[in-house]
């Protein structure tokens, strides 16, 4: 048990990957996992619970392990209870338990070949893992029951419930709802989502980001709704177009905060549609590792379509970019910027803040790596680069 616990304590990469993959083994209510805040909390829980169980077995091998539910998992349980996703949380715990048992059982055969010892070891291990997961589930169920009781006694008329009614497509009296929300529904809106995937996120930073976004759209009084433990829904008056450069400046100003922005839309339909576009943008940002911290629906439409079939998208990138697909990201970014700026060397160098001669060398290197003729396949190359950049971690290496 100690030897196995020592290995588990190192949090092997393949173990963490397998536990995280188990989150997607369920089909029912899987849309809740499109929320990157919830998904990040569940991934953190996998790491922290494995570490807690391993440390306990290092100190007292085979003895009962105290339940462990982190603070942000408490918030996640409450949020899932509000969304009617309590059963999903229980099912995910079982899926994680099955994955953990598979990993532990395979590891057990490397520790001993003695059938008597192995049988006893697996029996004790199964009991330890099962009882630990069961005790965690009991804690989570108590949290969920308390949240449901709280909801039953809360005033049902708050901003979140009012907005939910609007988003559900119900017929409402717009002027009356606007007065209650303190926000006119007759104007042209731009829906935004602001969130953080780090534990213990400061909600004040999210609010500051929301107001800064609203300022860029020409709004002084946005509608801000608390939609989760680290998520805000925001609606702004679409008084002026968004400046993408200023948006990226916000991303640098709030490094641990992310934002997704829908397109402008008028009236009730625009209120709903822009919000749903922001949700779709958030889903993509949370799924692709190279996505910027702040993005609009217009920036993600093509990438979203291209990633509906992940395997086909990967093959398209490989076929189109060849060796450039695995080259340093600086080469991909340089060629992408060159295409975006109309193949204008001077303009591209200015945008990238790069010397003209440095840019020319990078472009030459990038084109040499392509398996296709650059001049004949510019559109395909631009699309493949867009997809590659969004799907890869940032790498500034030469």
């Amino acid at each position: 048990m100690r030897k196995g616990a020592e290995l588990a304590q190192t949090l092997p990469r393949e173990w963490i990957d397998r536990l995280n993959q188990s989150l997607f083994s369920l089909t029912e209510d899987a849309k809740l996992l499109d929320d990157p805040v919830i998904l990040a909390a569940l991934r953190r829980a996998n790491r922290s619970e494995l570490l807690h169980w391993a440390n306990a077995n290092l100190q007292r091998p085979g003895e009962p392990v105290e339940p462990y539910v982190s603070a942000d998992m408490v918030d996640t349980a409450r949020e899932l209870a509000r969304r009617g996703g309590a059963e999903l949380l229980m099912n995910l715990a079982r899926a994680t338990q099955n994955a953990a048992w598979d990993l532990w059982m395979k590891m057990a055969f490397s520790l001993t070949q003695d059938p008597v010892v192995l049988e006893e070891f697996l029996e004790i291990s199964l009991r330890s893992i099962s009882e630990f997961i069961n005790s965690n589930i009991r804690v989570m169920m108590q949290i969920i029951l308390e949240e449901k009781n709280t909801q039953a006694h809360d005033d049902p008329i708050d901003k979140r419930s009012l907005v939910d009614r609007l988003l559900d497509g119900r017929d409402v009296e717009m002027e009356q709802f606007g007065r209650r929300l303190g926000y006119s529904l007759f104007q042209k809106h731009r829906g935004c989502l602001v969130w953080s995937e780090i534990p213990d996120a400061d909600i004040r930073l999210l609010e500051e980001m929301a107001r800064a976004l609203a300022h860029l759209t020409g709004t002084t009084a946005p509608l801000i709704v608390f939609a989760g433990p680290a998520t805000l829904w925001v609606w702004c008056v679409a008084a002026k177009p968004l400046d993408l450069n200023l948006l990226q400046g916000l991303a640098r100003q709030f490094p641990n905060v992310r934002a997704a922005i829908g397109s402008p839309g008028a009236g009730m339909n625009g209120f709903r549609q822009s919000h749903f576009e922001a949700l779709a943008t958030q889903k993509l940002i949370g799924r692709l590792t190279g996505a910027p911290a702040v993005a609009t629906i217009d920036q993600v439409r093509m990438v979203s379509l291209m990633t509906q079939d992940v395997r086909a998208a990967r093959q398209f990138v490989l076929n189109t970019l060849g060796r450039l697909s695995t080259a340093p990201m600086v080469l991909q970014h340089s060629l992408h910027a060159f295409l975006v700026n109309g193949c204008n060397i001077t303009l591209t160098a200015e945008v990238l803040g790069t010397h003209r001669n440095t840019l020319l060398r990078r472009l030459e290197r990038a084109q040499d790596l392509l398996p296709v003729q650059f001049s004949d396949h510019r559109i395909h190359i631009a699309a493949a680069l867009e997809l590659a950049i969004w799907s890869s971690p940032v790498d500034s290496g030469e």
Side-chain angles (χ1 to χ4, degrees):
M1 286 295 289
R2 277 204 176 99
K3 286 181 180 178
E6 285 174 0
L7 175 63
Q9 191 187 42
T10 66
L11 299 176
R13 180 72 262 169
E14 62 272 20
W15 286 36
I16 297 300
D17 288 344
R18 176 68 187 282
L19 292 174
N20 288 341
Q21 287 168 10
S22 72
L23 300 175
F24 299 96
S25 61
L26 306 173
T27 55
E28 64 272 16
D29 293 328
K31 62 182 181 180
L32 289 171
L33 296 179
D34 289 339
D35 187 325
V37 176
I38 290 176
L39 186 57
L42 292 171
R43 286 171 171 161
R44 286 195 297 271
N46 281 342
R47 294 173 62 90
S48 60
E49 288 174 15
L50 175 59
L51 195 59
H52 176 84
W53 184 87
N55 288 338
N57 275 282
L58 273 174
Q59 298 171 29
R60 297 178 302 279
E63 295 185 20
V65 178
E66 290 293 318
Y68 177 78
V69 177
S70 60
D72 68 331
M73 274 307 295
V74 171
D75 291 337
T76 300
R78 288 172 176 159
E79 178 60 19
L80 286 173
R82 286 192 286 270
R83 299 193 196 184
E87 185 177 351
L88 172 66
L89 199 57
M90 302 304 106
N91 292 337
L92 287 173
R94 292 304 180 199
T96 302
Q97 177 182 345
N98 292 337
W101 174 242
D102 284 345
L103 290 164
W104 186 262
M105 187 167 53
K106 289 175 182 176
M107 180 273 302
F109 286 90
S110 69
L111 296 180
T112 180
Q113 299 299 315
D114 185 323
V116 176
V117 174
L118 185 61
E119 181 181 4
E120 184 180 5
F121 175 50
L122 290 176
E123 181 182 340
I124 293 172
S125 299
L126 179 60
R127 183 172 65 244
S128 177
I129 293 172
S130 299
E131 289 179 354
F132 175 60
I133 297 294
N134 287 338
S135 62
N136 282 352
I137 289 177
R138 285 192 291 271
V139 173
M140 300 293 273
M141 284 301 298
Q142 184 60 39
I143 293 168
I144 288 168
L145 288 173
E146 290 172 358
E147 179 61 29
K148 288 183 175 179
N149 289 334
T150 300
Q151 289 178 29
H153 294 91
D154 277 351
D155 179 2
I157 304 301
D158 58 17
K159 280 188 177 182
R160 173 67 187 269
S161 61
L162 287 172
V163 166
D164 281 340
R165 291 172 66 181
L166 297 176
L167 296 175
D168 284 344
R170 305 180 203 177
D171 290 331
V172 298
E173 209 291 302
M174 288 175 60
E175 186 172 352
Q176 180 189 24
F177 264 64
R179 283 199 303 270
R180 298 173 78 179
L181 289 169
Y183 177 86
S184 173
L185 299 172
F186 291 97
Q187 57 199 344
K188 194 173 185 180
H189 319 278
R190 192 185 284 273
C192 311
L193 270 75
V194 178
W195 76 97
S196 178
E197 297 170 25
I198 64 170
D200 304 320
D202 188 345
I203 199 68
R204 291 173 298 180
L205 285 178
L206 272 65
E207 291 182 281
E208 287 179 24
M209 170 68 128
R211 297 188 187 284
L213 271 176
H215 179 73
L216 294 185
T217 71
T219 305
T220 56
L223 171 61
I224 299 176
V225 177
F226 291 86
T231 304
L232 301 179
W233 291 349
V234 185
W235 283 266
C236 317
V237 180
K240 61 182 182 181
L242 281 173
D243 185 315
L244 294 182
N245 290 327
L246 293 178
L247 275 183
Q248 295 315 309
L250 279 187
R252 292 187 292 272
Q253 185 180 346
F254 299 93
N256 292 320
V257 182
R258 312 191 81 176
I261 306 163
S263 59
M268 184 64 71
N269 288 336
F271 183 90
R272 295 177 182 131
Q273 183 62 33
S274 191
H275 175 74
F276 293 139
E277 288 177 347
L279 282 173
T281 305
Q282 182 199 40
K283 176 181 176 180
L284 195 70
I285 291 176
R287 182 159 51 90
L288 298 179
T289 54
V294 179
T296 69
I297 184 65
D298 292 328
Q299 291 176 285
V300 308
R301 288 188 200 277
M302 183 178 71
V303 175
S304 179
L305 287 172
M306 293 174 68
T307 54
Q308 295 300 310
D309 185 333
V310 175
R311 184 174 300 176
R314 188 180 301 118
Q315 195 60 49
F316 169 72
V317 170
L318 291 175
N319 291 344
T320 307
L321 300 184
R323 289 181 295 160
L324 181 58
S325 65
T326 55
M329 287 296 292
V330 67
L331 299 182
Q332 297 181 20
H333 280 286
S334 297
L335 187 56
H336 179 262
F338 180 61
L339 289 164
V340 167
N341 290 285
C343 298
N344 184 313
I345 289 289
T346 303
L347 179 58
T348 305
E350 288 180 9
V351 170
L352 294 177
T354 304
H355 192 278
R356 178 187 175 92
N357 291 340
T358 301
L359 176 61
L360 285 169
R361 287 195 300 272
R362 289 176 179 172
L363 293 177
E364 184 178 354
R365 287 173 61 193
Q367 292 182 45
D368 285 344
L369 295 173
L370 291 172
V372 297
Q373 188 66 31
F374 175 74
S375 58
D376 296 334
H377 297 84
R378 292 182 184 180
I379 294 176
H380 289 79
I381 292 168
L385 284 169
E386 186 87 7
L387 187 55
I389 290 169
W390 276 71
S391 303
S392 303
V394 175
D395 173 14
S396 59
E398 297 290 333

